Amino acid sequence: MQKIVSMFLIYALLISCESRKKEYYENGSIKTDYILENDQIEGVYKEYYETGGLKEVHSYVAGEKVDSSQYYYEEPKNIVNKTKYYHANDTLRIIEYFPDGSKQREGLTFINGNRIGKWFLYRPGGTLSEVLQYINLGGEEYLNQGWHFDKKEDTIVGKGNYLEFRLSKDTVNIYEPVKILVNLKEPLLSYKSDVFVGIPKGSLSDINEDFSNIKEVEWDTLPSIKKEGILDNHEKYNLYVSFGLEFNEPGTKYIRGFLSENNEIKPNEISQDSFDMKERKIYFAKKVYVKDTLLALARE
């Protein structure tokens, strides 16, 4: 008899802590449907439009959203408009859809809504239209680079804003120079702009991986090949910077810094392919692996 009473009490306790909640619009159609457990939403939460179709669906554990959330178009009914995937590192992957179900755009955001990393934008039907790269710059969302694509998904020349970063080697020995060429492949301000590269005065590791401390760093600036004037026909290299680095410790290294585009043209020379701005920065990060060759030789 004691066992039966104990089971009954446990069941009664569970019932008292968990209750299903439903809310309704004035027209009588359902608005929300969810379960409260210990005053927190638990399990699947559904919200509906007044016209009857699904509006939102979320999954909860102890009052916190988990896994993913789906958002729906009001018309056509029950067609997913957007999905959010919740990650453990406080970022969300967002995928938005056209009404036909094909992707419209996708990428990562922080919890505060700031976009981070590469966002992919599509045309109706699924072909890639743009790729936009965002970084965290001192806690603010910063549009760093952008590429535009035609219907064959080939890069469109003359649109976007991005650089090309070339290394002579991505694996080097200690004290072996690595040669670097940075080219502003697609300028934002003008093809007549000049550029320079900024790298930290101290260690390359002074810059956080997400560039969030960029305003605290002191910079060395490296001029364009045009400004250096050491090559024949150097005038045409206004969008190129060349420099070298070497490393005195083994391991994986990151070359982080920025390329600055400076608009030196006069206002009366500004044309349709230029903007009346003073400066535009693109931030870069490139990985190099440094081998411990001295240690390897000592072991032989």
Side-chain angles (χ1 to χ4, degrees):
M1 187 67 180
Q2 284 184 333
K3 290 185 178 179
I4 294 174
V5 172
S6 298
M7 291 298 294
F8 177 79
L9 289 174
I10 292 171
Y11 178 74
L13 181 62
L14 289 173
I15 292 297
S16 66
C17 295
E18 179 183 299
S19 61
R20 191 170 204 91
K21 298 290 184 180
K22 290 187 178 182
E23 299 173 328
Y24 297 87
Y25 290 103
E26 290 184 1
N27 66 2
S29 64
I30 190 167
K31 183 178 181 180
T32 61
D33 182 3
Y34 57 96
I35 292 174
L36 274 184
E37 188 173 307
N38 298 321
D39 295 324
Q40 294 180 319
I41 300 175
E42 189 73 29
V44 177
Y45 170 100
K46 292 183 179 180
E47 186 172 341
Y48 298 83
Y49 289 103
E50 193 169 358
T51 52
L54 276 170
K55 185 177 182 181
E56 302 175 15
V57 176
H58 308 280
S59 295
Y60 282 87
V61 172
E64 297 288 335
K65 290 178 182 177
V66 298
D67 298 330
S68 64
S69 295
Q70 284 77 42
Y71 301 81
Y72 294 80
Y73 285 100
E74 185 169 9
E75 292 293 340
K77 287 183 179 179
N78 301 331
I79 299 297
V80 176
N81 174 22
K82 178 170 63 176
T83 301
K84 290 182 179 179
Y85 296 95
Y86 301 97
H87 294 178
N89 60 353
D90 290 333
T91 60
L92 308 172
R93 174 162 290 280
I94 309 293
I95 304 179
E96 296 182 0
Y97 301 90
F98 290 106
D100 66 1
S102 61
K103 287 182 183 179
Q104 185 174 13
R105 64 175 189 153
E106 63 178 316
L108 292 176
T109 73
F110 292 115
I111 295 297
N112 65 6
N114 286 353
R115 289 164 288 189
I116 188 70
K118 286 185 176 179
W119 274 71
F120 299 86
L121 284 65
Y122 301 89
R123 298 179 183 85
T127 59
L128 186 63
S129 172
E130 297 177 53
V131 174
L132 304 175
Q133 181 203 40
Y134 297 88
I135 63 172
N136 174 23
L137 199 60
E140 300 293 329
E141 176 187 283
Y142 183 82
L143 177 55
N144 195 46
Q145 299 188 85
W147 298 260
H148 292 252
F149 302 91
D150 60 24
K151 292 183 179 180
K152 294 182 179 180
E153 299 193 353
D154 293 326
T155 306
I156 300 174
V157 177
K159 294 192 70 175
N161 181 216
Y162 54 93
L163 56 77
E164 186 177 58
F165 195 105
R166 300 181 189 175
L167 295 172
S168 58
K169 292 182 178 181
D170 57 13
T171 301
V172 295
N173 299 314
I174 291 177
Y175 300 116
E176 179 184 2
V178 55
K179 298 176 183 177
I180 300 160
L181 180 65
V182 185
N183 170 214
L184 181 57
K185 195 77 172 179
E186 200 63 63
L188 177 67
L189 308 183
S190 171
Y191 286 96
K192 297 180 181 179
S193 296
D194 197 80
V195 299
F196 67 85
V197 161
I199 58 173
K201 279 188 175 180
S203 169
L204 292 174
S205 61
D206 286 346
I207 305 178
N208 293 343
E209 182 179 352
D210 61 1
F211 292 95
S212 56
N213 67 332
I214 206 79
K215 296 178 182 178
E216 305 165 15
V217 176
E218 291 189 49
W219 301 96
D220 275 326
T221 57
L222 310 169
S224 67
I225 292 176
K226 173 186 174 180
K227 283 289 180 68
E228 286 185 319
I230 58 177
L231 294 180
D232 294 337
N233 301 321
H234 60 270
E235 290 289 333
K236 67 180 183 180
Y237 292 105
N238 56 304
L239 300 179
Y240 291 80
V241 177
S242 179
F243 61 102
L245 292 172
E246 61 180 36
F247 302 91
N248 59 9
E249 293 180 349
T252 300
K253 309 296 180 182
Y254 290 89
I255 304 170
R256 296 192 180 101
F258 67 84
L259 179 140
S260 173
E261 177 188 358
N262 295 272
N263 192 343
E264 295 183 342
I265 63 177
K266 298 176 182 178
N268 61 359
E269 294 177 341
I270 295 176
S271 61
Q272 291 183 351
D273 71 340
S274 61
F275 292 79
D276 187 14
M277 294 171 60
K278 298 297 183 184
E279 185 182 29
R280 160 70 174 157
K281 288 180 179 177
I282 296 178
Y283 295 85
F284 57 77
K286 202 71 173 180
K287 183 168 65 175
V288 177
Y289 179 71
V290 182
K291 296 188 295 184
D292 192 352
T293 50
L294 296 178
L295 179 60
L297 289 173
R299 289 175 175 174
E300 290 180 357

